[in-house]
Structures are given as structure tokens and as C-alpha cells.
Amino acid sequence: MQLLLRGNLPLTIGGAILACIVLITVIGPFVMPYGPEDTSLMDRFKAPSVAHLAGTDAFGRDVMTRVIDGAHISLSIGLSVVIITMSLGIVIGAIAGYFPKLDNIIMRVMDAGEAFPTLLLAIALAAVLGPGVVNVVLALGIAYTPRTARIVRASVLILSQQQFVEAARASNASHLRIIAKHLIPNALAPVIVQMTFVFADAVLAEAALSFIGVGPPPPSPTWGNIIADGRSYLFSAPWISLFPGLAIFFTVLSLNLVGDGLRDQLDPRLKRLD
Amino acid sequence: MTAQPAAHDILFSVRGLSKHFTAKRTLPFSGPPKVVRAVDKLTFDIHRGETLGLVGESGCGKTTTSRLLIRLLNATSGEVDYDGAPLLPRQGSALFDFRHDVQIVFQDPFGSLNPRMTAEQVIAEPLITSTSMTAAQRKARVAELLGLVGLSAEHAKRYPHQFSGGQRQRIGIARALALHPKFLVCDEPVSALDLSIQAQIVNLLQDLQRDLGLTVLFVAHDLQVVRHVSDRVGVMYLGRMVELADSETIFNRSRHPYTRLLLASSPRLRKSKVPDLAREPVEQADIPSPLAPPPGCHFHTRCPLATARCQAEVPLWRSIGDGHHVMCHHAEQVGGPVAKSVG
Amino acid sequence: MTQPLLEVEDLTISLGSGASRVDIVDGVSFTVGANEPIGIVGESGSGKSMIALAIMGLLPKALKITRGTIRFEGREIQALSKAEMRRLRGAEIGMIFQEPSTALNPVFTTGAQLVEVLQRHTRMSKSEARDRTIELFRQVGIPSPAERFNDYPHQMSGGMRQRVMIAMALACKPKLIIADEPTTALDATIQLQIMNVLVRLRAETGVAVVFISHDLALVASFAERIQVMYAGRLAETGPTDLVFNAPNHPYTEGLMHCAFGLEDDVTRLPTIEGRVPSPSHFPKGCRFSTRCSHVRDMCHNLVPPKIPVGDDHLSACFRHTHFQTVTS
């Protein structure tokens, strides 16, 4: 690991921020003295202080506690979207890249999916299926799959021409074996990079969906919901929206840094002089 | 080498084998798609236990031919008998059985091994896909194969990038031998290697052929290596086989102008060790594009003997005795030993 | 004696620094006189291409010249500014690479690219440059040069593209051309054509050439003097005839056997056992010691100096010496 990080500043910084965020998310609930939905009418609109690190909101709920709790939902949504996108994207992309006859049909469907604005698709799905965490995940997963499939397909197209694939065919390997053993493992590097960006996008999109009210319904404290809650008090109590905003900012920033760093790290062109 | 071999001595019998590729249109509506005759009506035999060399320059179809013979590509037309039975109609289990018998060693020591598999996994793959061996049996066979190609057991767990080009080629050979094949295609097996390593691999392949009784199709552009390993040699130019004879005949008494040009182009084949390029006349014509080969004899644009007939009429693939086949209208005029400077 | 055109002295090119420093090229010295064709032979990893890049000031960032000098007409190349270096590269040193398609810009016609080179380095007008380009095309044997002027690189075959590269290298009448594996990517019959063009143009223009290749026979057919490199060091250097017909260094000898051993009808090809060590595993003494059949104790510890073995013929090998290691 040390070897991996040496000389790769974006990856090191991004990784460090991300590790902090995950750490706070995991141990936060055990340390914070308040519950995310504990209201206290005495403590409404308290500015950040030692007692309330990020102040309180209109119901006297501790904003820091809510942001940390919101991280659970936001990060879970991000992770779920990544898992769905990756599995769908890899399978679809590999099939399209390996079977030329299916390629056209599959990729035109992907084109159609990609032509649809991500958020609009999510809103439409939410309108049909109703708001909720599962639907948000589903909508984002479907929206991001085409991009990933395209990346996998491109790699698989190139890999299929490699002689080791021909060698596998000459050895009577089945299509399934060739795809699973020879193509997908070698197509993973760009997908992993892509996944960090999908994760970041999903966190942002979830916040946007929650903000306009088609995400997970309140009172569950997602980052988008908390920002929406603070919307009416932006001038009198800016901290309500500021801190979840910062949480989103640092999460997305760290993920993008990790993605950039990984891309450099995994780029074979940079390894020539080994 | 003089008499026709008996039928049971023939492993592959190839009759009029063709493979056409359709080139992608560059623009929509730009007329009918162009057809490349990558392999154009080849007729030849491969004898059991021999090494047949196949030479020619890029785009001549030698690689495509090798892939057709082991059914990695499907032929457009023609017939191939393998071991006395038609090969091309084989499907399903019959094809599976055929693939058990034939294997291939590739040119590129980097591209032919999956970078995410260890040497052991690479070599064991045919055993997994084509046999019902247990893991322990496979391990034993892999160890045996590693020894056979001059690697040791400690190499088993390493990944391709930890090997040199020559060692990688040994791994590729071990994989090809895993299933005890009868027929081995060697597709430019040494051309990506340094000269000092090439010889090691060629020697290994020759030893293995002798010890295991393999029949080998040796595809290469390096005439010197082909001359050394081959019993017979076929020369290809723009999809057609233009000459086929035993190695000694091809290199000393070739009857095709293209073969002679090819021989003259190899500095390593010269007797005088320091060739004098400045003094020799050199034909300056380019190799025509395989997309639009010249009509008649494909070689007429570069041939010193070309006549009007060569431009109009495709020469027949004919025998001129002693198993020597040639595709040239003027083969009888191409006489005598190959040019003075060529050994 | 007049000053040589190019002097490479004790050139050492290293990767990394401190304890992990590896000398990819170690103490290479040679000179190229005006009008002289010399050859550098070596297999992959011998460092021959690094020398070419160093002469042209194009070494990759990771590599540094840690010792030695390169002088072109007495001027030290390392001391030149970037602008001076660019001028030198275009106008006085021409280059021909293995893969012409990477050196030609795919969106301009080949003719236009030559005109641009000519206009950048000379005071020619556009129409003069055009005429000169067509003349150059004719010189390198491109058929119907006026028509091929308007061809894009992808419309040409590999052999034609290499001819364009040669025309481009010659465009500004350079004093030196560096040709790094100029025919390796080409088919045998086309390789012969290109070699023929190079030999003819060299005779006509009198340009000095450093011809770099892995193919001993090819280099010998072109160069008057040969340097044989192994693992970053010069193994043997001398006039082509001597190196070719009376090789002294065991590596050169081995290469000759590999290349020509087939003339006698042997059943087994001669080989050089083992393989080229990777830069991080270079042996301490002679770098060929791991594969040499004449190896002695001292070879493992001492770097053999270049020992004269004939007229202008040097070999970095202890074999024919009576040196002994003195143990104390």
C-alpha cells in the first residue's frame, strides 16, 4: 500500500479525507450525545458552540448529529448505486463487446438511456414508484449503467483482439469462461476509477433529489433533506445548510481526488520504465 | 521426398480454401463494401510429422491460413480434410475433439498470456476446459510441462510481467503442449524476440517436435529460421500460395520470381557476409494493397518477367514435378540456382 | 586531424538516483566524422536508442545524463537552450524513426508537412519549398512525386511513409542523420528498398549517419564502423570488416553465430545461453559475464576496459589478455 501511494498526491489526500469521513460516520453515532431526531424547543436556532458543534435547527435538533446520521444514508445510497452500476455495467458491457451481433442492439439501448438526463430519469422513476431510498438507488443505478457499460465494452473490444483470448478459444474455453476469466478481470481498472466518480455523482444526485423532495422522505436526515430544512433560514441560521453542504463538498472532492489518483496509478503508460 | 506420400501420411488436405473479409465502408452509401480475399483458393497438403514453413510479407494471408486450419476462423469456401475426414462441417463435440488435437503458439510474448493469470493458471487452462483432471493431476501435469520447456517449478506462481520475452514464449509453448496435440501452429513464434533468444526457442521447438512426433505449421517472415526448421516451405503473396516445395528446392532452385525477390531481400541469407546494398539494383515498386490487388497474377506489378498474359490471366497452381508446385506462367524461365549472392 | 562532427564521451545515462540508481547507458564513447556512416548494434535493453535520444536532447524525463558529454561540432549539447536545441534538431541533425506513422501528423498532407519544415528552417518561399519537396520526394524514390505531395499519411504504405520520413530528415541538408531502426517495421522486400535509398542518398549528399539497429547484418551493410552494445556498455567497436569478420568480444561472436551459423547445415541453431539481465540486476563486473562461455573469475568483479585488438578495433573483454586478479 505504501508503494501504491508514494508520489501520488491526489490519491493520498483524497484517501485521507475519505477515511476521515468514513471514520466519523462509523463512530459518530456512539460519540454524539444527541439523537438525530431529538427535538428541543429550548435550543432552536442555536449558533455553533461547544455544546452544538454545528448549531441546531428550527426544531432544536443538533445539526452535527443529523449530518453524521445523514452520512449513513448518503454513503449507503452511493455505495448501493456503485454496486448496481458496476454489476449491470460490467455484464452488459462485456456482452456487448464480446458478441458483435448483440453489440448494436445493446449499445443503442444504452444510448437511449444515456440521452435521458439523469436527474429527470430519477424524478420520473420516483414519480412512478414513489419517493424512497430504494427507488433513488434504483433510479441512479439505471441512469449510470450506460456510461459504465460503454467503458467496459471499449476495453473488452480491445481485449478480445488480444492473443490470450484467441489462445483461450483454441483451448476450447467456453464464452462464459473467456468473459469471466480473461476479459472482465483485465477490463476492471478503468471501471474502478469510474466507480469513484459514480459514487460522488450519486451522493450529489441524492442530495438534489432530497432537496426537491423526491428523495427519501423527511424526517430521515439525508444531506439533501437537511439542506432543504435550512433553506428558509439561510440568512438567520446559515449553519443548518452550511454543514451538510460542507459534508457533500468534502465527500465529492475526496472521491474525485481518489478517482484521479487511481487513474494515474492504473495507467499502464506511466509504468513503462519499470 | 520424391514420390507422392500415401494417403495415410497426409494430416491435412486443403482444397481451394478461401477466406474473404468484408472491409467496413468508410462512408455510408459509398458503394458496395470491399471484399478482401485474405486467403484465395489455396490447395496443399500437410504431411504427418513434417514441419511446413509458410512465409510471406504482411498481408499475404499466412496468419489467416493458419487460423483457418485450426478452426479459429471459419472458411468462406473450400474443403479441408483432417485425418481423412472433412473438417469444415464439424460442429459441437466433433469440433471440441478436433481442438483437442491442435494447438497454437503465438507471436506476441506479451499479448498471448493473460496478465492476471500466473504461469500455472495459464498452462492449466486447456486442462480445465478440455479434460476431467483433478486439481492434483493438473498440478502434476503443469510441473511436467514446465520442465519440458525448460522452466522450473518456482516459476509456476509468477505472473507474465515477471518473465522475460523468451520465458513467456516458453510458457505459451507449455500451454500449447498441455493436451498432447498432434498438430501445432507456430505463428511467428520468435520474431518478437532478440536474436540471441530466438535460437533458444527454435531449438526447443525442434526438440519438442522430434520427441513428441508433432506435425508443425511454422508461419514466419524470417526466411533463415524457416529454412532451418522446415521440411517443406510454402510462399504466399497477397492471399495466394505462389510456390510450394521442399525447403532445399525453395532456397536453392526456386521457380517463382517472388520467392527469389524474397530470398534476395534477406541480408542474413547471403554468402558474402557484408552485403553491398549500394551496388545491387533494387526493384522499387510498392506492395499493392490487399484491398485492390492487381488483376491476373498479383505479382506482375513487381515482376521482372511480367508479360501481357500475366496482367490478364491468373496463373494456374501447377505441379512441376518432385512435389514442387508453383503459380507462375513463366516458371520454366526462372531457372538455375538462386542468384549468386544468395546462399 | 580535423574535429569530428559528433563526439560522445563517457556518456552515462541513469534512471533513478541514490542507491536505486541504474546506469542504463554506462561510459559510452565514440565519434562520428563528417560524412561518416557509423552503426550501433544492440538487442533490446542495450541502451542504443537512449543514446540516440540523448544526442537529440529528447531523453524522457525519468532519465538523466549523469556523466560525460555530447559535442556536436565542438558545441556541448547539454549546454544548449531549448530553442537552440530545436534549431539543431531540425536544421543540422535529421532523425528517422522506426515507426513513421507516429512522426507524421495525420491531419496534414505529407507534402504540406515537408513544406512547413523547410519554411521553418530556411528562408524559402512557399513555392520554392514546394518545388524542393517534390524534388526530395523524387530523390527518395516516391513514384509520381507531384501527385503524392497531396497524399495524407494514411493513404501511403509503410514503405512510402518511411520514404517521406527520410525526405523530411534530409530536407534542410543536415550534417548528421540519426536513423533508429528505420526499417524494422517494414517487410523484407521493402526493407531492402529503403536501405537502398539510404545508401544511395548518403553517397549523394555526403551526410554523416548514425545507423542504429538490432540487425547486425543490416548495420554491416551500411556502416563503415560498428559499435556493438550490450546492456548499456560498448562491447566492441571497430571498422565493419574487422568486427564482422574477426569479432573479438564473445558477445559479438555469439551474435554472429546466431545470425550466420545456419550457413553450415547444422541441426541445432547456435545460441547465447541465458538472457539479457534487467537493469536492476546488472552484474558487478562485465555485464556479459552471466552468459559468457569464456568467463573468468576476474570478469565477475572488474569492468573490462576497452582493449585494442587491432587497427582502430577495441574490445571490452579480458579473454585475450593475460591479466590476472591479484588476491592479497
Side-chain angles (χ1 to χ4, degrees), chain A:
Chain A
M1 201 61 189
Q2 251 182 347
L3 205 76
L4 190 80
L5 296 182
R6 192 194 295 160
N8 193 329
L9 206 59
L11 190 58
T12 317
I13 295 175
I17 301 176
L18 199 61
C20 289
I21 292 171
V22 172
L23 200 69
I24 294 172
T25 308
V26 173
I27 61 168
F30 302 105
V31 181
M32 298 306 286
Y34 315 98
E37 276 148 52
D38 292 355
T39 55
S40 160
L41 292 179
M42 304 296 293
D43 296 320
R44 298 173 67 215
F45 298 123
K46 282 274 167 65
S49 64
V50 180
H52 298 285
L53 284 173
T56 62
D57 68 2
F59 301 98
R61 295 175 296 195
D62 181 61
V63 174
M64 185 56 90
T65 309
R66 285 176 67 76
V67 168
I68 291 173
D69 203 60
H72 282 269
I73 300 177
S74 291
L75 296 186
S76 316
I77 288 177
L79 199 64
S80 315
V81 170
V82 162
I83 291 169
I84 289 182
T85 318
M86 234 174 125
S87 355
L88 279 179
I90 287 176
V91 171
I92 294 174
I95 290 174
Y98 184 69
F99 297 105
K101 283 183 184 151
L102 295 177
D103 187 25
N104 247 324
I105 304 166
I106 292 176
M107 290 326 285
R108 291 305 79 76
V109 174
M110 293 293 114
D111 282 347
E114 216 172 1
F116 221 80
T118 311
L119 274 183
L120 217 56
L121 184 68
I123 293 170
L125 271 178
V128 176
L129 304 171
V133 177
V134 177
N135 293 342
V136 167
V137 168
L138 215 58
L140 294 178
I142 292 171
Y144 292 134
T145 297
R147 260 197 259 168
T148 313
R150 198 174 295 284
I151 291 170
V152 175
R153 171 182 169 270
S155 307
V156 167
L157 273 181
I158 295 166
L159 289 167
S160 302
Q161 305 298 319
Q162 297 269 345
Q163 286 183 338
F164 65 80
V165 174
E166 223 182 337
R169 287 210 294 135
S171 301
N172 268 329
S174 64
H175 292 314
L176 184 64
R177 184 178 169 87
I178 290 177
I179 291 177
K181 284 265 173 184
H182 294 283
L183 296 175
I184 290 179
N186 286 295
L188 274 185
V191 176
I192 289 167
V193 174
Q194 173 69 8
M195 283 312 111
T196 61
F197 298 122
V198 165
F199 199 133
D201 268 17
V203 169
L204 271 180
E206 177 276 319
L209 288 174
S210 300
F211 185 79
I212 58 175
V214 289
S220 52
T222 76
W223 289 342
N225 280 340
I226 305 171
I227 295 177
D229 288 346
R231 182 170 42 170
S232 321
Y233 319 107
L234 265 186
F235 292 100
S236 54
W239 54 86
I240 304 176
S241 296
L242 178 69
F243 284 94
L246 281 178
I248 294 172
F249 171 76
F250 278 110
T251 308
V252 172
L253 177 73
S254 65
L255 283 166
N256 283 335
L257 284 174
V258 169
D260 281 342
L262 275 179
R263 179 162 46 207
D264 292 350
Q265 204 69 47
L266 298 173
D267 189 341
R269 275 169 300 182
L270 299 173
K271 291 194 174 170
R272 275 283 161 79
L273 280 171
D274 275 5

Side-chain angles (χ1 to χ4, degrees), chain B residues 67-319:
Chain B
R67 301 297 195 275
L68 289 172
L69 286 184
I70 55 172
R71 288 288 307 269
L72 278 176
L73 282 174
N74 285 319
T76 308
S77 61
E79 286 167 31
V80 178
D81 283 358
Y82 170 71
D83 226 350
L87 169 66
L88 300 184
R90 289 200 193 195
Q91 286 301 335
S93 67
L95 182 59
F96 188 92
D97 292 343
F98 170 70
R99 290 235 170 102
H100 208 121
D101 275 6
V102 300
Q103 266 301 337
I104 175 165
V105 175
F106 293 94
Q107 167 179 14
D108 181 1
F110 294 85
S112 60
L113 306 181
N114 185 338
R116 299 197 185 267
M117 283 181 154
T118 61
E120 188 174 38
Q121 288 170 322
V122 167
I123 298 170
E125 174 149 56
L127 302 175
I128 295 171
T129 57
S130 301
T131 70
S132 48
M133 283 186 179
T134 63
Q137 287 170 318
R138 285 202 301 264
K139 209 177 163 68
R141 176 75 180 136
V142 168
E144 187 186 343
L145 286 161
L146 280 172
L148 201 59
V149 298
L151 294 171
S152 58
E154 71 191 62
H155 293 116
K157 301 280 183 210
R158 293 195 197 154
Y159 285 90
H161 70 265
Q162 295 168 293
F163 291 102
S164 68
Q167 289 176 318
R168 273 183 250 225
Q169 219 47 337
R170 288 174 194 267
I171 296 171
I173 293 169
R175 169 177 59 193
L177 296 177
L179 295 174
H180 303 284
K182 292 181 187 152
F183 178 65
L184 190 63
V185 168
C186 296
D187 183 12
E188 304 263 13
V190 298
S191 58
L193 303 175
D194 275 327
L195 194 59
S196 64
I197 307 297
Q198 282 188 8
Q200 298 174 6
I201 299 295
V202 169
N203 286 341
L204 173 67
L205 282 169
Q206 283 198 299
D207 290 349
L208 290 170
Q209 176 184 25
R210 193 189 53 232
D211 297 347
L212 307 175
L214 294 168
T215 305
V216 174
L217 181 70
F218 197 96
V219 179
H221 67 271
D222 185 335
L223 294 173
Q224 197 209 22
V225 172
V226 168
R227 178 190 193 180
H228 179 70
V229 300
S230 306
D231 300 306
R232 294 190 306 145
V233 176
V235 182
M236 290 187 71
Y237 185 71
L238 290 176
R240 294 178 182 157
M241 195 175 278
V242 295
E243 190 166 16
L244 173 70
D246 59 85
S247 184
E248 194 266 333
T249 305
I250 288 282
F251 284 92
N252 293 316
R253 292 186 303 280
S254 159
R255 288 295 188 85
H256 197 285
Y258 176 66
T259 309
R260 291 187 167 237
L261 173 64
L262 209 54
L263 293 173
S265 303
S266 175
R268 280 213 271 150
L269 282 174
R270 287 153 200 277
K271 265 276 190 288
S272 67
K273 282 195 175 171
V274 183
D276 188 353
L277 287 170
R279 254 181 264 140
E280 289 173 33
V282 170
E283 61 94 32
Q284 293 291 346
D286 216 1
I287 302 175
S289 157
L291 271 170
C297 172
H298 287 340
F299 189 58
H300 80 252
T301 52
R302 305 171 68 190
C303 182
L305 300 174
T307 58
R309 187 177 172 209
C310 301
Q311 296 174 28
E313 201 182 312
V314 181
L316 286 176
W317 177 236
R318 59 199 170 104
S319 167

Side-chain angles (χ1 to χ4, degrees), chain B residues 48-71:
Chain B
R48 218 178 279 277
E50 78 167 342
T51 298
L52 177 66
L54 204 52
V55 297
E57 297 174 283
S58 52
C60 74
K62 56 189 194 294
T63 295
T64 308
T65 306
S66 71
R67 301 297 195 275
L68 289 172
L69 286 184
I70 55 172
R71 288 288 307 269

